[in-house]
Amino acid sequence: MIIAIDGPSGAGKSTLGRMIARELSLLYIDTGAMYRAAALAVIGSGVSTVDQQAVAEVVTRADINLEGDPDSLQVMLDGRDVSQDIRTEEVSHSASVISTIPEVRRTLVQRQRKLGERAGGVVLDGRDIGTIVFPQADVKFFLTAAPEERAHRRYDEDRLKERNATLEETLADINKRDRRDSTRGDSPLAIAEDAIVIDSTEFSIEEVFEQMLKAIRERK
Ligand code: DC
C-alpha cells in the first residue's frame, strides 16, 4: 500500500501524513525533510548553492535517514539528529533552491523509492510523489489551501516557536517557495492526473483526515 500526499508548503501534508500513517500502521516518509537535510549538508560544507555540481556531490555523499515512528520521526544526517536544525528559514530557502537541481533530485528520489519499497506500506509526503517517485501509488492526494490560510497556519506555528516573522513576510515567503517549487524544470509541483484534490481552506485537520481515510477505504 503506497499513499502519496503532494501539495504546496503549509497545506497540512506532514500533519495529515503522520495521522494517516499512525491510523493505518504504515511507515511515514517526509521527503521534504530529506531535501532539508540535504540543504543542511550543503550549508555545512560551505559550497555555494549556485555551484550545482558541487551541491550534487555533497548530497550524494550525505547519509540521510529517517528513523522512528510517525510521531517522533528523527531526521538523521551523517549519524546526527538534525530534526530541529532543518526547520529554520535558511534551510527552508536552501532546500527549495537545491531541489531544483536534477542530480540532487535523482539521488533523493532513488533513496525514497528504496525506503518505500522496503516497507510493507508507506505514506510519503512531498511535491512529486504521485507524479514521479511513485506514479503507481495506490492512493494519491493533492492537498492545498489558499496562500493566505497557509501563511496564517505557518505564522501561528512560528509564533509558538517564538520566531518573529510578520504575517506579511510569511505570506511572501510561501508565495516565493510556491513559485519556485511549481515552475522548476525538473519534476515541478503538479497535480497527478489520478490524484484526489482536497482544498482545506475551509476545513479543519480532523475533517480533512476523515475525507482522506474515507477515500483510502474506498480505494482499498
Ligand atoms: O515540504 P517541505 O517544506 O519540508 O520541503 C522543503 C523543500 O523541498 C520544498 O521547498 C521543495 C522541496 N521538495 C521537493 O522538491 N520535492 C519533494 N518531494 C519534497 C520537498
Side-chain angles (χ1 to χ4, degrees):
M1 175 88 169
I2 296 178
I3 299 174
I5 307 178
D6 290 304
S9 58
K13 300 185 300 294
S14 69
T15 305
L16 286 153
R18 279 171 220 273
M19 289 167 78
I20 301 273
R22 195 189 317 127
E23 179 73 19
L24 304 176
S25 302
L26 303 172
L27 179 75
Y28 167 66
I29 300 178
D30 176 353
T31 64
M34 296 174 77
Y35 285 92
R36 285 169 180 271
L40 193 65
V42 171
I43 294 168
S45 73
V47 308
S48 159
T49 51
V50 181
D51 187 345
Q52 300 206 351
Q53 200 181 332
V55 168
E57 279 165 18
V58 172
V59 175
T60 306
R61 277 200 308 271
D63 180 19
I64 297 167
N65 264 307
L66 302 176
E67 294 177 0
D69 58 40
D71 292 315
S72 56
L73 195 75
Q74 288 176 342
V75 186
M76 308 296 291
L77 171 63
D78 297 327
R80 191 165 65 91
D81 182 353
V82 295
S83 314
Q84 303 298 324
D85 303 353
I86 59 168
R87 299 293 161 194
T88 66
E89 276 313 307
E90 184 191 14
V91 173
S92 298
H93 171 77
S94 299
S96 177
V97 172
I98 66 156
S99 67
T100 62
I101 303 173
E103 185 65 30
V104 168
R105 303 202 68 81
R106 250 198 309 279
T107 302
L108 294 184
V109 166
Q110 226 174 36
R111 291 187 199 168
Q112 289 156 15
R113 286 187 182 138
K114 255 196 215 143
L115 283 170
E117 279 156 9
R118 253 205 332 243
V122 65
V123 179
L124 298 102
D125 92 56
R127 304 291 189 290
D128 59 342
I129 309 302
T131 50
I132 305 285
V133 185
F134 284 111
Q136 78 282 23
D138 299 284
V139 191
K140 300 179 187 178
F141 294 102
F142 189 91
L143 292 187
T144 187
E148 292 74 16
E149 174 63 24
R150 291 187 280 121
H152 246 292
R153 293 176 191 169
R154 180 64 36 92
Y155 176 70
D156 288 342
E157 273 171 28
D158 285 353
R159 266 205 315 193
L160 286 178
K161 294 180 199 150
E162 296 180 3
R163 293 203 193 115
N164 48 9
T166 64
L167 182 58
E168 289 69 29
E169 285 165 349
T170 309
L171 178 59
D173 179 59
I174 280 201
N175 281 332
K176 200 157 77 190
R177 275 177 64 199
D178 280 0
R179 208 163 28 246
R180 194 182 297 113
D181 296 344
S182 22
T183 57
R184 65 179 176 228
D186 190 341
S187 26
L189 170 66
I191 306 177
E193 247 176 47
D194 46 352
I196 300 163
V197 181
I198 302 179
D199 183 330
S200 70
T201 310
E202 307 287 338
F203 297 113
S204 67
I205 287 281
E206 287 71 27
E207 286 170 318
V208 178
F209 177 59
E210 288 307 323
Q211 284 185 39
M212 291 172 82
L213 273 187
K214 188 163 170 274
I216 294 167
R217 292 196 167 120
E218 279 168 10
R219 293 277 166 112
K220 274 213 288 196

